[in-house]
């Protein structure tokens, strides 16, 4: 639930910064190692958005795979294990823990000027 | 109707990372070591803290942060040892985060070590850096000897793994060797301790670890 609340708080902040009347959908990227159950997150999102301009919006979830490989021989793995089964080298895990609010689809107040910039990381507008 | 889609690309965990780094900076500037004690409910986290204070209070100044749904019971236990204790009632939140620690950490200035008891949970706390120096994960034999293999991520990121209540292993038909071997497989670098804190078994290895980290 706390993940859902964080997503909703940030999506609301961005939507209100753009004077949005309604949000139709958001896209989040979740690292696979966060072990978040997408079904459960969708449910919690539905609960957390009630009474806000995000109510009834869709949440699209993209799972980001972790990059897990042996630093010695480069063998890649799907799960985080400590030592390479091939050469015994250390297996390093990169990524897989991110939680990114990627996109927000919303309806703007028609009386607002067209927006030229969006967020602090400099993302663009796709109308 | 003017419908748009914006690329937000907002890192939702950035705030926790930022506050964890601020906590870490405060601790380093004040030469305080912090240990984040995570583990299952009832694994012995509070008892570990009580015994640590009792054993080392003559040589180390210790402060405690207690996180729990309702902290009162643990607070009552630890405050008897005459140390500074900050209780954090986490309510329905299943983990401590850097923000909660940030609120109280600056009230500790005259200590060498802060022991942080995290909420009893082997899943959620792992993703929330508090700014600590060391992560300890505690389990006990009463949770079943498959508890380690069922929760690999929290054990993978631990510096110390404590398997507690080993004297009860036969009674609950738990294989301590399996628990230890699962822990070693997941995290060969971690210090693994087998203890029975109520009966003082294995506790000296823990105090040795604490003394060692305070030498650094």
């Amino acid at each position: 639930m706390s993940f859902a609340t964080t997503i909703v708080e940030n999506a609301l902040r961005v939507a209100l910064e753009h004077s949005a009347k309604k949000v139709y959908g958001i896209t989040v990227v979740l690292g696979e190692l966060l072990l978040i159950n997408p079904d459960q997150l969708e449910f919690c999102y539905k609960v957390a958005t009630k009474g806000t301009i995000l109510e009834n919006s869709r949440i699209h979830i993209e799972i980001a795979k972790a990059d897990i490989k042996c630093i010695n021989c480069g063998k890649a793995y799907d799960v985080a294990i400590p030592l390479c089964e091939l050469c015994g080298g250390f297996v390093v895990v990169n990524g897989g823990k991110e939680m990114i609010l990627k996109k927000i689809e919303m309806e703007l107040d028609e009386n607002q000027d067209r927006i030229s910039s969006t967020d602090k990381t400099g993302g663009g507008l796709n109308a | 109707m003017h419908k748009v889609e914006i690329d937000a690309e907002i890192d939702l965990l950035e705030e926790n990372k930022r506050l964890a780094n601020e906590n870490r900076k405060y601790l380093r500037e004040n030469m305080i070591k912090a240990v984040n004690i995570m583990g299952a409910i009832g694994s012995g986290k509070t008892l570990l803290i009580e015994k640590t204070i009792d054993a080392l209070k003559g040589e180390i100044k210790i402060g405690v942060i207690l996180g729990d749904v309702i902290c009162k019971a643990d607070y009552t236990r630890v405050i008897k040892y005459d140390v500074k204790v900050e209780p954090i009632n986490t309510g329905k939140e299943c983990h401590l985060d850097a923000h909660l620690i940030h609120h109280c950490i600056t009230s500790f200035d005259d200590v060498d070590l802060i022991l942080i008891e995290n909420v009893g949970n082997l899943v959620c706390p792992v993703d929330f850096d508090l700014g600590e120096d060391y992560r300890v994960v505690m389990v006990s034999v009463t949770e079943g000897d498959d508890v380690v293999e069922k929760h690999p991520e929290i054990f993978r990121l631990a510096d110390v793994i404590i398997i507690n209540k080993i004297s009860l292993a036969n009674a609950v038909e738990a294989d301590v060797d399996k628990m230890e071997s699962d822990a070693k497989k997941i995290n060969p670098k971690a210090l693994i301790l087998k203890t029975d804190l109520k009966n003082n078994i294995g506790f000296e290895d823990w105090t040795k670890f604490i003394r060692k980290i305070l030498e650094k």
Side-chain angles (χ1 to χ4, degrees):
Chain A
M1 191 67 193
S2 61
F3 284 120
T5 317
T6 301
I7 290 167
V8 170
E9 279 170 3
N10 279 273
L12 263 178
R13 180 176 54 81
V14 174
L16 293 173
E17 277 170 8
H18 293 86
S19 304
K21 281 168 61 176
K22 185 92 188 101
V23 172
Y24 293 98
I26 67 166
T27 302
V28 292
V29 177
L30 301 179
E32 63 174 335
L33 295 179
L34 287 178
L35 300 175
I36 293 174
N37 181 324
D39 285 340
Q40 202 164 26
L41 181 62
E42 281 180 26
F43 174 75
C44 291
Y45 179 79
K46 201 170 161 181
V47 171
T49 55
K50 274 209 178 335
T52 73
I53 58 172
L54 276 83
E55 188 169 357
N56 297 319
S57 64
R58 293 177 317 273
I59 175 170
H60 305 279
I61 300 170
E62 295 178 6
I63 302 293
K65 295 224 26 104
D67 177 29
I68 307 172
K69 63 175 175 236
C70 172
I71 55 169
N72 189 44
C73 70
K75 181 173 163 58
Y77 289 92
D78 288 330
V79 291
I81 57 169
L83 296 174
C84 180
E85 287 161 353
L86 219 58
C87 72
F90 285 117
V91 173
V92 168
V93 178
N94 285 312
K97 290 256 178 173
E98 55 270 65
M99 188 160 83
I100 310 282
L101 175 58
K102 189 173 166 181
K103 288 184 199 283
I104 305 177
E105 187 191 350
M106 54 195 174
E107 179 191 333
L108 299 184
D109 186 333
E110 281 170 3
N111 294 323
Q112 293 297 315
D113 291 335
R114 187 165 178 78
I115 295 147
S116 58
S117 67
T118 54
D119 57 281
K120 58 186 173 188
T121 60
L125 262 184
N126 296 315
Chain B
M1 184 168 78
H2 185 193
K3 224 178 175 184
V4 295
E5 185 182 72
I6 68 155
D7 295 328
E9 296 293 341
I10 294 172
D11 180 354
L12 298 173
L13 297 176
E14 189 198 345
E15 183 65 2
N16 192 80
K17 289 175 200 167
R18 185 184 69 79
L19 290 169
N21 286 334
E22 281 191 17
N23 294 341
R24 192 162 273 119
K25 184 166 177 266
Y26 175 82
L27 291 167
R28 295 222 166 118
E29 283 170 358
N30 288 276
M31 293 189 293
I32 302 170
K33 293 284 184 203
V35 177
N36 179 2
I37 302 170
M38 299 178 276
I41 296 172
S43 55
K45 298 185 293 297
T46 313
L47 183 58
L48 182 72
I49 290 171
E50 288 177 285
K51 288 180 70 72
T52 306
I53 298 167
D54 199 38
L56 301 176
K57 63 177 182 275
E59 47 185 289
I60 299 169
K61 284 185 242 172
I62 300 175
V64 180
I65 298 175
L66 296 172
D68 212 334
V69 176
I70 296 173
C71 244
K72 188 176 167 195
D74 291 350
Y75 180 81
T76 307
R77 283 169 64 176
V78 179
I79 199 71
K80 284 193 283 218
Y81 295 87
D82 198 25
V83 294
K84 180 165 172 55
V85 184
E86 286 282 355
I88 301 176
N89 289 320
T90 50
K92 288 205 176 137
E93 283 304 322
C94 48
H95 56 268
L96 287 174
D97 58 34
H99 171 237
L100 291 168
I101 301 299
H102 197 260
H103 274 310
C104 65
I105 200 158
T106 53
S107 69
F108 296 92
D109 51 12
D110 188 29
V111 296
D112 304 306
L113 173 71
I114 297 176
L115 298 173
I116 303 169
E117 182 180 340
N118 214 313
V119 181
N121 187 323
L122 290 174
V123 179
C124 307
V126 72
D127 297 316
F128 292 89
D129 180 7
L130 307 179
E132 73 272 21
D133 296 285
Y134 298 94
R135 288 187 157 198
V136 175
V137 179
M138 277 188 90
V139 285
S140 72
V141 300
T142 53
E143 286 118 48
D145 57 28
D146 56 358
V147 67
V148 176
E149 65 171 316
K150 278 183 176 175
H151 302 90
E153 192 62 6
I154 197 167
F155 289 99
R156 188 174 72 80
L157 298 171
D159 297 294
V160 182
I161 296 168
I162 302 177
I163 302 168
N164 193 26
K165 306 188 188 178
I166 54 173
S167 303
L168 295 177
N170 287 339
V172 297
E173 294 180 358
D175 183 347
V176 176
D177 290 339
K178 171 183 159 47
M179 295 173 80
E180 184 180 14
S181 139
D182 288 344
K184 273 198 187 127
K185 252 188 254 161
I186 292 165
N187 188 343
K189 288 197 244 175
L191 171 65
I192 299 174
L193 304 178
K194 290 179 287 191
T195 62
D196 185 326
L197 292 179
K198 282 223 188 253
N199 297 305
N200 272 324
I201 297 170
F203 182 64
E204 264 186 38
D205 292 329
W206 165 255
T207 53
K208 221 190 289 180
F209 165 76
I210 292 293
R211 287 192 179 98
K212 192 171 170 202
I213 65 171
L214 288 170
E215 283 169 15
K216 294 186 185 169

